[in-house]
Amino acid sequence: MQKPLRVAVTGAAGQIGYQLIYRIAAGEMLGRDQPLHLSLLEIPPAMEALNGVVMELEDCAFPLIQGIDPTDSPDTAFAEVDIAVLVGSRPRSPGMERRDLLEANGEIFTIQGKALNEHAARSVKVLVVGNPANTNCLIALRNAPDLDPTQFCAMTRLDHNRALAQLALKVECHVSDISGLAVWGNHSPTMFPELGSATVSGEPALSLVDMEWYDKEFIPAVQQRGAAILQARGFSSAASAANAAIEQVRDWHLGSQLVTSMGLYSTGSYGIREGIVFSYPVICKRDSVQIVEGRTLDQFSRDKIAITEQELLDERSAIEHLI
Ligand code: NAX
């Protein structure tokens, strides 16, 4: 039997947590032969709800689970963790400006970054889901100076999957026929789902759709998909977000040959300003992530990328004192 891995999930009693934890426990994220120890972090008012989540986990009698630790202490939650999925964050309340949201979450991710720095396994991989995901990720990694920035990423896999689905619906193909698609920038309505290098069964995607649809329908549909789901369901995306988190960590941990999208700490690739967490096209090798280099970006793409880059620079300015 393999050595158990320790997995921490924050916001474990929330909507996404409830869709995520049981699938992790079933082995969908790290493999069906990988034993696990789960650390579940919540805030004190949610500990009773978390207790219910743990009771249900026990009632699943998952063969891979070696232990479950519910806690409201980041130091305890991140002790020796190999994987941390940071979902918990403050939602935007009525009247709250984006800047206030950045500030409120900045405190959470400062504390959690420091706790990871102190207590996590030195090879820990950290996926940030909680919004604003890219900037929360930046705060966490800057507060973890003993870990490498490449050990952190922000989740844009849901946006990537949404883009795959929209293109597949349009050209009437299966999502698995599409390759090379990428989401650039921020996990926000400025993100840029790019089709310039995408193919559908080997054909350039842009030869199968017109620019009008690409610019006026596809890009806004992907950018606004979260809002559309909120409007339809009355709750924000949870099952699809949990699914994306599982896929992103699985690819990162086990490797995959597919081009996907991940928010990574920028070191200047594609001319993006250094020191922001920016979504790029990537290929995951086992335990490492490589940006797909050498793509040709036309002026249309460069303009879209500049907008989302600027938004991330503005977000960084708002939380400069935390990093
Ligand atoms: P919920 O409000 O249902 O759950 C959040 C949970 O986090 C709550 O149980 C809360 O008690 C807990 N929490 C708050 N502060 C915490 C802290 N300091 N430590 C530990 N736990 C804490 O939200 P949910 O629908 O689960 O969404 C969670 C986050 O994911 C939100 O920020 C949401 O905006 C973000 N999303 C990110 C996505 C992405 O693609 N990156 C997509 C889905 C989702 O919108």
Side-chain angles (χ1 to χ4, degrees):
M1 197 167 182
Q2 300 195 55
K3 180 176 165 283
L5 290 175
R6 298 186 79 92
V7 178
V9 178
T10 76
Q15 277 210 97
I16 295 175
Y18 195 67
Q19 299 290 332
L20 177 63
I21 293 164
Y22 302 91
R23 290 185 61 187
I24 296 175
E28 290 187 39
M29 187 168 83
L30 301 175
R32 293 193 184 273
D33 56 352
Q34 176 58 63
L36 300 172
H37 190 113
L38 284 176
S39 282
L40 305 177
L41 180 68
E42 261 296 349
I43 50 176
M47 287 307 285
E48 197 175 337
L50 183 58
N51 194 28
V53 170
V54 171
M55 287 160 71
E56 283 203 72
L57 265 175
E58 288 166 353
D59 294 350
C60 291
F62 285 116
L64 293 175
I65 293 300
Q66 305 294 308
I68 308 167
D69 287 329
T71 178
D72 59 10
S73 157
D75 291 349
T76 305
F78 296 141
E80 297 302 322
V81 287
D82 300 287
I83 307 278
V85 186
L86 310 187
V87 181
S89 64
R90 271 276 298 279
R92 194 166 182 160
S93 41
M96 205 176 192
E97 297 295 328
R98 189 167 173 87
R99 204 180 179 87
D100 302 330
L101 184 72
L102 280 163
E103 184 75 33
N105 281 300
E107 285 169 28
I108 294 173
F109 287 84
T110 300
I111 292 168
Q112 294 186 359
K114 287 186 198 312
L116 285 160
N117 194 54
E118 281 294 299
H119 302 290
R122 294 304 82 186
S123 59
V124 66
K125 297 186 190 78
V126 183
L127 170 67
V128 178
V129 176
N131 278 322
N134 297 52
T135 297
N136 288 340
C137 182
L138 176 65
I139 295 168
L141 71 86
R142 283 285 186 83
N143 281 280
D146 300 335
L147 301 173
D148 195 278
T150 59
Q151 293 176 252
F152 290 77
C153 75
M155 186 167 97
T156 54
R157 182 63 169 261
L158 178 55
D159 310 307
H160 182 96
N161 288 346
R162 286 168 170 169
L164 286 176
Q166 291 302 312
L167 179 61
L169 285 170
K170 174 70 177 173
V171 304
E172 298 181 355
C173 72
H174 191 266
V175 285
S176 62
D177 297 331
I178 303 170
S179 55
L181 181 152
V183 171
W184 299 78
N186 201 2
H187 169 68
S188 83
T190 67
M191 79 185 81
F192 173 45
E194 185 231 348
L195 297 182
S197 298
T199 58
V200 179
S201 303
E203 294 283 312
L206 288 181
S207 70
L208 303 173
V209 299
D210 58 61
M211 268 315 275
E212 178 76 8
W213 177 81
Y214 180 31
D215 188 21
K216 298 285 186 297
E217 291 187 44
F218 171 75
I219 295 172
V222 177
Q223 291 173 331
Q224 301 296 337
R225 186 70 169 176
I229 286 166
L230 178 60
Q231 167 121 31
R233 211 172 78 87
F235 299 97
S236 54
S237 332
S240 54
N243 180 66
I246 283 174
E247 290 187 346
Q248 187 151 333
V249 174
R250 188 194 60 210
D251 285 357
W252 193 3
H253 186 70
L254 298 173
S256 110
Q257 290 312 308
L258 299 175
V259 174
T260 62
S261 306
M262 283 169 84
L264 302 179
Y265 187 68
S266 165
T267 55
S269 197
Y270 286 95
I272 300 304
R273 197 84 67 82
E274 292 180 23
I276 52 178
V277 171
F278 195 88
S279 182
Y280 283 106
V282 300
I283 292 184
C284 296
K285 301 277 156 78
R286 198 180 172 99
D287 286 330
S288 75
V289 178
Q290 288 174 4
I291 293 175
V292 179
E293 299 286 359
R295 286 190 164 200
T296 306
L297 294 170
D298 60 11
Q299 193 58 47
F300 175 84
S301 301
R302 285 204 299 274
D303 291 347
K304 300 276 186 212
I305 286 173
I307 293 169
T308 194
E309 179 187 19
Q310 187 57 50
E311 183 181 52
L312 283 166
L313 290 168
D314 292 344
E315 288 188 11
R316 187 178 67 179
S317 303
I319 51 82
E320 198 81 59
H321 55 294
L322 295 173
I323 57 177

